[in-house]
Amino acid sequence: MASAARGQDGLSPVPRHCATLARSVRLLAAFRRERSEPEYFYSLMARDTVALLGSYTGLRGAAVIDVGTGFGFFARALTAAGARCTGIDHDLGELTAHNVREPNRLVASALALPFRTGSADVCFSSNVLEHVPDPWRMADEMVRVTRPGGTVFLSFTNWLSPWGGHETSPWHYLGGDRAARLYERRNGRPPKNRYGHNLHPVSVSSALAWARGHKDVQVLDALPRYHPRWAEGIVRVPGLREIATWNLVLVLRKNGS
């Protein structure tokens, strides 16, 4: 179903992101190609995510900060949509992994964003929150750098979802440390995403509590990222949402004008 974008930026409305069952099947099937065909997987994810973001706010000409930009797939999709995008990542290796020189990419911490307060129209982050030791400090920083009336788009993989342990899943249900030991025993090396080091348990409930309790933002949406629209009600069911959400998207509007 299509409808006008929710943004109030004066730009022409854009079609609403079409979160159909077919789209969910396509995205979940793509996960199997993440390691063998990362270009295909991440490009598909980036286009889909930018289309979702574009249903809330206009992107053409918008100043966007991509927090945890990594290989730059989302930054490129944002730029293709007309945004003026700056990406930051704490890992230089991630920024240079594909030997592609991208403009406006910085080595910086998500916990202390190197931008002025209110300098961005949109602050965006995909699947980074669970990788920082103080997730709500990162989220606060994203709100800080967003201008009044601007949009914060924040998504993450919640710990109790089937992919919460990342490559150690589903053994993370037995505990993060145990899952890491099992992975190393089977593969002869530790996992890239190490519990308690660069992978931390973040819940849907804590994300909703942070967003609803933040005095500077209005919650526009809280939805399961990969699900059809008709399944978004699971976010309102305590307990079930921690397992079934898989990946939570928070879309926030910063208060003010």
Side-chain angles (χ1 to χ4, degrees), residues 41-98:
F41 171 75
Y42 286 107
S43 295
L44 175 65
M45 286 295 302
R47 290 193 302 270
D48 181 83
T49 304
V50 170
L52 175 58
L53 173 60
S55 70
Y56 296 96
T57 187
L59 292 174
R60 186 159 299 281
V64 180
I65 297 171
D66 178 13
V67 179
T69 191
F71 300 148
F73 289 101
F74 290 96
R76 287 194 286 276
L78 287 161
T79 300
R84 296 178 289 113
C85 186
T86 301
I88 72 103
D89 202 285
H90 81 288
D91 188 343
L92 179 61
E94 292 273 318
L95 294 176
T96 58
H98 288 260

Side-chain angles (χ1 to χ4, degrees), residues 82-212:
R84 296 178 289 113
C85 186
T86 301
I88 72 103
D89 202 285
H90 81 288
D91 188 343
L92 179 61
E94 292 273 318
L95 294 176
T96 58
H98 288 260
N99 296 317
V100 177
R101 288 193 173 186
E102 299 281 357
N104 301 323
R105 294 206 289 176
L106 308 172
V107 177
S109 170
L111 302 180
L113 295 174
F115 302 99
R116 296 191 310 273
T117 297
S119 58
D121 299 306
V122 177
C123 196
F124 169 93
S125 183
S126 173
N127 291 347
V128 176
L129 193 73
E130 70 268 31
H131 297 290
V132 299
D134 191 347
W136 309 121
R137 180 178 169 186
M138 170 182 150
D140 286 340
E141 275 289 276
M142 291 180 65
V143 173
R144 179 186 66 80
V145 301
T146 304
R147 66 167 174 80
T151 302
V152 176
F153 183 101
L154 175 61
S155 80
F156 67 93
T157 302
N158 50 296
W159 177 248
L160 290 180
S161 78
W163 191 242
H166 291 47
E167 68 267 44
T168 68
S169 301
W171 306 111
H172 68 295
Y173 287 121
L174 301 176
D177 290 325
R178 180 178 294 180
R181 289 195 299 271
L182 288 170
Y183 180 93
E184 186 166 4
R185 192 179 306 157
R186 291 196 311 271
N187 295 278
R189 65 182 186 281
K192 175 184 177 182
N193 297 288
R194 296 175 60 203
Y195 177 78
H197 295 267
N198 61 349
L199 180 63
H200 305 276
V202 185
S203 69
V204 174
S205 295
S206 62
L208 294 175
W210 169 82
R212 291 167 178 167

